[in-house]
Amino acid sequence: SGDTIVIRPGIYTENITLVAGVNLCALSDSWSPTGTNNTVTILGKVTASYAGLAHITGIELTTNSDYCIELTGASATKLVLSNCFINATNNGAINHTGSSGLSIIYFNYC
């Protein structure tokens, strides 16, 4: 808890299960040469079913024949997406089936 995972530009075909207090952040593109693709893309599903808070910042979330974001479970799950791009290419993008009335997904500049 309290850690931030910084991700280099690229396309990552992954299904990720978030943990409360662990944040995902795209590496700033200021170090990259001009003309390169500096996008961090997660092609797959990000699942959130923890009690607590996690952030995703600057990442493109793309469907891969499933939701790209799924919030489930009975815990008070809070997920904050900042400066993200949500790309629903072949499925619905978000599935929120959490049973806690305190579960929420915040979108900031997405």
Side-chain angles (χ1 to χ4, degrees):
S1 183
D3 287 337
T4 297
I5 299 170
V6 179
I7 305 169
R8 290 187 175 268
I11 298 172
Y12 300 89
T13 303
E14 308 268 341
N15 290 322
I16 298 170
T17 301
L18 295 175
V19 176
V22 178
N23 306 306
L24 303 179
C25 180
L27 181 66
S28 170
D29 63 2
S30 61
W31 63 272
S32 298
T34 303
T36 60
N37 183 353
N38 298 321
T39 303
V40 173
T41 301
I42 297 174
L43 180 62
K45 181 167 48 174
V46 174
T47 302
S49 61
Y50 48 80
L53 174 68
H55 291 81
I56 299 176
T57 305
I59 296 174
E60 178 179 325
L61 303 168
T62 301
T63 59
N64 190 14
S65 299
D66 200 352
Y67 304 105
C68 60
I69 301 169
E70 186 164 43
L71 193 140
T72 64
S75 298
T77 303
K78 293 179 177 66
L79 176 61
V80 178
L81 301 170
S82 298
N83 299 313
C84 291
F85 182 77
I86 298 169
N87 190 5
T89 59
N90 54 19
N91 198 63
I94 300 168
N95 185 32
H96 186 301
T97 59
S99 60
S100 171
L102 300 175
S103 291
I104 192 163
I105 301 173
Y106 294 99
F107 296 93
N108 297 314
Y109 303 105
C110 294

